């Protein structure tokens, strides 16, 4: 005989008196607390964005001020051989200003330069002045407005120190011959010297001079296809 099927109890408002009121109070408390925290987080994010914007504005103002100030420095008369070249480029998304000392005897060789960079690592708003050799002359952290007021004096000291560094090089520069010899070494001077000696000893205008023999073949059978010498050229 099949036992009678039990019916699931019906949930009614009288099943657990007071539960609705208790859960409703808990939900309201949670919702209120969450709304306050979300509002606090929103205000905090807004203040952070304002702080970042203000800091970045100061950094751009500082770099613009430095660039304008160095325009006058770049016009200093350094004689016939030397001059300054002011270059503005990009570095990690921020302007980079370089005051390069250019030698007319080696215009592509820049050994001395004043380099100003900016970065916002650790939210510090850093503007750094250094030399090409890696010496740091000054560093400002523009997360505070008061740091911006130090810029004129800091820049003046850095530029003066840089000018003192290069004055000895300008007054006693390497000769053009020394620069040429150094450049030849970097390009492999041994090969050039040997070739120059060989051409100097050869009589290029004598009929018996073996000109062109090195690029000819006496027997065409000596030639082999490229495949036999290794993998084909692609």
């Amino acid at each position: 005989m099949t036992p009678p099927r039990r019916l699931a109890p019906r949930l009614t408002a009288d099943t657990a008196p007071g539960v609705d009121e208790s859960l409703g109070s808990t939900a309201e408390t949670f919702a209120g607390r969450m709304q306050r925290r979300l509002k606090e987080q929103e205000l905090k994010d807004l203040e952070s964005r304002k702080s970042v914007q203000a800091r970045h504005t100061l950094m751009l103002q500082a770099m613009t001020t430095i660039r304008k100030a160095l325009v006058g420095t770049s016009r200093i008369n350094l004689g016939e051989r030397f001059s300054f070249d002011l270059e503005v480029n990009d570095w990690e998304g921020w302007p980079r200003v370089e005051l390069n000392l250019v030698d007319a005897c080696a215009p592509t060789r820049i050994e001395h330069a004043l380099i100003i960079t900016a970065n916002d690592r650790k939210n510090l708003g850093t503007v750094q002045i250094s030399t090409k050799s890696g010496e740091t002359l000054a560093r400002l952290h523009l997360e505070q407005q008061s740091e911006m007021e130090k810029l004129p004096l800091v820049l003046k000291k850095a530029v003066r120190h840089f000018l003192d560094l290069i004055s000895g090089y300008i007054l006693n520069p390497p000769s053009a011959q020394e620069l040429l010899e150094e450049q030849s070494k970097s390009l492999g001077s041994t090969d050039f010297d040997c070739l120059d000696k060989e051409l100097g000893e050869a009589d290029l205008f004598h009929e018996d001079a073996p000109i062109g023999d090195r690029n000819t073949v006496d027997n065409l059978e000596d030639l082999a296809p490229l495949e036999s010498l290794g993998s084909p050229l692609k």
Side-chain angles (χ1 to χ4, degrees):
M1 184 177 181
T2 303
R5 186 174 58 180
R6 295 182 180 181
L7 298 177
R10 298 180 60 188
L11 299 179
T12 64
D14 299 332
T15 301
V19 171
D20 287 346
E21 291 80 0
S22 177
L23 287 178
S25 176
T26 300
E28 290 178 1
T29 300
F30 174 80
R33 184 168 63 248
M34 183 58 63
Q35 288 299 319
R36 288 195 300 273
R37 291 184 176 179
L38 289 174
K39 187 65 175 179
E40 292 173 357
Q41 184 66 43
E42 182 180 350
L43 292 175
K44 184 178 180 180
D45 292 342
L46 179 60
E47 290 298 322
S48 177
R49 289 195 295 271
K50 288 182 178 179
S51 178
V52 170
Q53 184 177 3
R55 188 170 63 250
H56 287 182
T57 299
L58 283 178
M59 294 170 66
L60 290 175
Q61 288 178 353
M63 296 300 290
T64 300
T65 300
I66 291 171
R67 178 185 62 80
K68 290 181 178 179
L70 291 182
V71 168
T73 306
S74 67
R75 294 172 179 169
I76 295 177
N77 187 351
L78 302 177
E80 296 182 357
R81 176 168 172 176
F82 291 97
S83 63
F84 280 129
D85 175 56
L86 186 62
E87 180 180 348
V88 179
N89 48 43
D90 179 84
W91 183 73
E92 295 187 356
W94 289 97
R96 173 189 174 103
V97 181
E98 296 184 24
L99 183 65
N100 299 315
L101 178 65
V102 180
D103 186 346
C105 293
T108 61
R109 173 184 172 180
I110 304 298
E111 288 193 348
H112 300 279
L114 187 68
I115 302 174
I116 299 91
T117 59
N119 70 79
D120 198 26
R121 301 189 191 100
K122 299 181 180 181
N123 299 325
L124 293 177
T126 303
V127 172
Q128 179 169 302
I129 305 175
S130 57
T131 64
K132 190 176 181 65
S133 62
E135 179 184 0
T136 300
L137 303 182
R139 185 183 290 119
L140 290 176
H141 298 305
L142 298 177
E143 80 278 15
Q144 296 181 357
Q145 175 74 33
S146 59
E147 288 292 297
M148 188 67 176
E149 300 173 1
K150 302 177 183 179
L151 179 60
L153 181 59
V154 167
L155 180 61
K156 181 179 180 179
K157 289 182 177 180
V159 171
R160 180 180 298 173
H161 183 72
F162 174 67
L163 294 177
D164 289 341
L165 287 177
I166 64 174
S167 60
Y169 184 80
I170 295 174
L171 295 175
N172 298 284
S175 65
Q177 181 63 29
E178 290 174 340
L179 292 175
L180 181 59
E181 291 176 356
E182 185 174 340
Q183 185 177 11
S184 298
K185 289 179 181 179
S186 64
L187 296 175
S189 60
T190 302
D191 296 336
F192 286 105
D193 291 343
C194 291
L195 179 59
D196 182 65
K197 181 179 180 181
E198 182 179 350
L199 292 176
E201 295 176 351
D203 186 357
L204 301 180
F205 299 96
H206 194 278
E207 294 182 357
D208 296 333
I211 299 176
D213 292 344
R214 296 179 182 179
N215 296 323
T216 60
V217 179
D218 294 333
N219 192 345
L220 293 179
E221 295 179 356
D222 292 338
L223 294 176
L226 290 176
E227 290 79 358
S228 66
L229 301 178
S231 57
L233 298 176
K234 296 181 179 180

